[in-house]
């Protein structure tokens, strides 16, 4: 029997968790309602996170390389426990960084990762641009085109991206585009668009139901020219992959799908943070609020709600941790474990925040209490980076091996 199994966080991760929790409690939470109302990027808080070392490529690299695999989901859970909109503003650069890490060369990582974060005095952002007006869940329908211009050794990008977190205000944009449209997702590649590149502009900025402190916008690419070396992984590797596809060989995953697969456990951790925050608030409220001469937590109806909320939160964490551990240890998601984590945690966040409002009653429906904001923030997690329906499709295909549609 192996006696080494443990669900206790490694000391290194526990230390970072406590540090991030303190920042979320003392800096993020007090500012949450203000930035939700303003619907603006909270630059002062991003700068504060950068100054204390929370918003740096070093921390992301440290947590991504941590041996248990639990570092990154733990950081994200704590930050989203503070506030989802502000946390996404601070941590969404991690999605662009994940795309860079998944497909980029060591040289590309070394050059562009620091430029996504900037410095404590002048923090920057990164944006991952995959979705399009006609291609959200259907990543194979991407219409943004990338054509290689031999004469200038440049890629020319044209198209419109939508639902891009930090889109248009980021320093570095990481863009998925189709090079060989007839090959569907297999003909796609990912490109780095440097700061100040002519032809890239922000389109519509969306006014959203939740996560309103996080900037979400269209990104318009109009004859955007970038050096030939800015295709992630290098042009030669991409050409070799295309040659294998044309010859009928199997290849590794495609650009957008590979990024989403790497980030699904982390997205599950984001949703988990929101759910935990709402549960904790509802628990404290129910243990103080009195009706009919009793604490409302003494009523079975409320106690059962709390029991179900806590049980689903802990189950979500186990799914997230399992997927994160598997990913760190190069275990294949043979049963779509990443999608399981994202699906269950995101639906748990919606369920728990809804129940929190119910426990608070009329108070929960007002903006005077934070569970109203948490409920609005939670819903997006069943939609972005793969809807719940898409996650079930992915899981079903993995389990049956059949082309479920």
């Amino acid at each position: 029997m192996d006696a080494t199994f443990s669900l206790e966080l490694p000391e290194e991760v526990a230390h970072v968790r406590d540090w991030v929790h303190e920042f979320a409690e003392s800096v993020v939470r007090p500012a949450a309602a203000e930035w939700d109302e303003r619907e603006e990027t909270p630059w002062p808080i991003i700068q504060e996170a950068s100054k204390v070392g929370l918003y740096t490529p070093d921390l992301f690299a440290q947590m991504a390389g941590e041996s248990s695999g639990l570092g990154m989901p733990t950081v994200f859970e704590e930050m989203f426990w503070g506030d989802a909109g502000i946390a996404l503003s601070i941590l969404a650069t991690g999605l662009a960084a994940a795309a860079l890490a998944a497909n980029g060369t060591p040289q590309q990582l070394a050059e562009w990762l620091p430029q996504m974060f900037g410095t404590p005095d002048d923090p920057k952002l990164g944006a991952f641009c995959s979705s399009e007006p006609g291609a959200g869940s259907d990543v194979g329908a991407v219409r943004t085109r990338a054509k290689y211009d031999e004469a200038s050794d440049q890629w020319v990008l044209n198209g419109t991206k939508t639902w891009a977190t930090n889109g248009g205000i980021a320093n570095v944009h990481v863009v998925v585009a189709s090079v060989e449209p007839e090959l569907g997702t297999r003909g796609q590649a990912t490109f780095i668009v440097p700061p100040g590149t002519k032809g890239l502009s922000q389109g519509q900025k969306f006014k959203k139901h939740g996560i309103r402190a996080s900037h979400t916008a269209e990104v318009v690419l109009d004859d955007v020219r970038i050096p030939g070396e800015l295709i992630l992984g290098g042009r030669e590797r991409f050409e070799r992959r295309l040659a294998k596809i044309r010859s009928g060989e199997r290849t590794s995953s495609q650009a957008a799908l590979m990024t989403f697969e790497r980030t699904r456990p982390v997205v599950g951790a984001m949703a988990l943070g929101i759910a935990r925050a709402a549960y904790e608030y509802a628990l404290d409220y129910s243990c103080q609020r009195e009706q009919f001469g009793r604490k409302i937590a003494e009523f079975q109806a409320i106690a059962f709600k709390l029991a179900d909320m806590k049980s689903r939160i802990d189950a979500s964490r186990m799914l997230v941790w399992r997927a994160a551990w598997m990913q760190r240890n190069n275990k294949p998601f043979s049963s779509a474990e990443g999608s399981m984590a994202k699906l269950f945690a995101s639906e748990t966040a919606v369920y728990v925040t809804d129940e929190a409002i119910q426990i608070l009653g009329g108070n929960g429906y007002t903006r005077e209490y934070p569970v109203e904001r948490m409920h609005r923030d939670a819903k997006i997690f069943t939609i972005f980076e793969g809807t719940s329906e898409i996650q079930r499709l992915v899981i079903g295909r993995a389990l049956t091996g059949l082309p479920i549609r």
Side-chain angles (χ1 to χ4, degrees):
M1 179 181 290
D2 184 357
T4 63
F5 175 77
S6 174
L7 287 174
E8 189 172 0
L9 285 176
E11 185 177 348
E12 171 194 8
V13 176
H15 175 73
V16 173
R17 176 201 60 196
D18 294 344
W19 170 52
V20 174
H21 181 86
E22 194 280 329
F23 182 87
E25 185 173 41
S26 63
V27 179
V28 173
R29 277 202 165 180
E34 174 190 350
W35 290 99
D36 177 70
E37 290 289 343
R38 290 174 63 167
E39 298 191 56
E40 296 174 359
T41 301
W43 284 107
I45 301 178
I46 295 172
Q47 185 173 40
E48 183 66 21
S50 183
K51 285 181 176 178
V52 300
L54 198 154
Y55 182 69
T56 67
D58 291 341
L59 178 63
F60 275 74
Q62 176 191 351
M63 290 296 98
E66 184 273 323
S67 60
S68 73
L70 304 182
M72 199 70 81
T74 299
V75 167
F76 276 73
E77 178 183 339
E78 294 304 325
M79 281 297 293
F80 278 74
W81 172 89
D83 176 66
I86 293 175
L88 196 58
S89 288
I90 295 173
L91 298 176
T93 294
L95 183 57
L100 188 61
N103 301 291
T105 64
Q107 294 79 12
Q108 289 171 333
L109 270 169
E111 180 175 1
W112 296 105
L113 193 59
Q115 294 192 52
M116 289 182 181
F117 290 86
T119 66
D121 291 328
D122 186 22
K124 304 294 184 184
L125 301 173
F128 181 62
C129 307
S130 175
S131 294
E132 297 186 1
S137 297
D138 184 6
V139 295
V142 165
R143 297 194 178 205
T144 296
R145 292 294 308 276
K147 293 185 178 181
Y148 183 66
D149 182 355
E150 294 272 1
S152 63
D153 184 26
Q154 291 182 322
W155 291 96
V156 183
L157 277 62
N158 282 282
T160 299
K161 294 295 182 178
T162 194
W163 311 120
T165 303
N166 299 334
I169 65 171
N171 197 45
V172 179
H173 290 76
V174 179
V175 179
V176 176
S178 180
V179 180
E180 299 286 349
E182 68 276 10
L183 297 177
T185 56
R186 297 182 300 167
Q188 295 173 3
T190 312
F191 299 86
I192 300 166
V193 181
T197 300
K198 184 179 179 181
L200 184 146
S201 63
Q202 179 185 309
Q204 176 187 4
K205 178 186 175 183
F206 296 104
K207 295 181 72 67
K208 305 187 300 294
H209 176 63
I211 54 168
R212 301 199 306 188
S214 174
H215 175 97
T216 309
E218 290 180 330
V219 174
V220 180
L221 304 132
D222 184 11
D223 280 336
V224 168
R225 287 182 168 268
I226 58 174
E229 64 188 22
L230 294 187
I231 179 173
L232 285 190
R235 184 165 172 247
E236 289 185 5
R237 191 172 84 179
F238 179 68
E239 291 293 346
R240 287 196 300 270
R241 183 159 69 87
L242 286 183
K244 287 183 180 180
I245 293 168
R246 293 189 180 108
S247 67
E249 290 185 47
R250 294 179 63 86
T251 62
S252 58
S253 2
Q254 293 76 47
L257 295 177
M258 195 168 182
T259 298
F260 291 142
E261 194 64 17
R262 289 171 67 93
T263 58
R264 276 173 184 153
V266 172
V267 175
M270 297 178 190
L272 176 59
I274 300 171
R276 193 182 109 216
Y279 159 75
E280 289 177 359
Y281 196 93
L283 175 64
D284 289 345
Y285 181 92
S286 64
C287 288
Q288 296 174 22
R289 173 75 166 172
E290 291 191 4
Q291 290 285 285
F292 306 105
R294 301 168 63 186
K295 308 290 188 187
I296 64 171
E298 295 181 48
F299 292 103
Q300 190 179 85
I302 301 300
F304 280 14
K305 286 183 184 296
L306 293 168
D308 287 342
M309 292 158 76
K310 176 62 170 169
S311 296
R312 289 191 57 163
I313 288 167
D314 284 6
S316 296
R317 187 177 293 106
M318 290 299 98
L319 286 171
V320 167
W321 281 15
R322 179 183 69 170
W325 177 87
M326 290 177 69
Q327 181 176 297
R328 180 65 183 87
N329 290 278
N330 298 312
K331 305 289 185 183
F333 287 166
S334 57
S335 297
E337 286 85 355
S339 290
M340 286 186 190
K342 197 267 185 187
L343 169 67
F344 195 81
S346 63
E347 295 198 342
T348 291
V350 173
Y351 166 80
V352 169
T353 54
D354 188 70
E355 290 288 66
I357 288 178
Q358 197 69 21
I359 289 172
L360 268 69
N363 287 336
Y365 200 66
T366 71
R367 293 193 181 181
E368 299 300 315
Y369 290 79
V371 293
E372 180 272 341
R373 185 180 68 254
M374 294 169 186
H375 186 260
R376 287 188 285 108
D377 290 342
K379 183 56 191 172
I380 190 60
F381 290 88
T382 65
I383 299 172
F384 75 173
E385 292 203 49
T387 63
S388 289
E389 291 73 21
I390 288 295
Q391 304 306 326
R392 287 184 168 89
L393 188 67
V394 171
I395 296 165
R397 286 174 177 173
L399 297 178
T400 65
L402 298 173
I404 299 169
R405 297 182 184 280

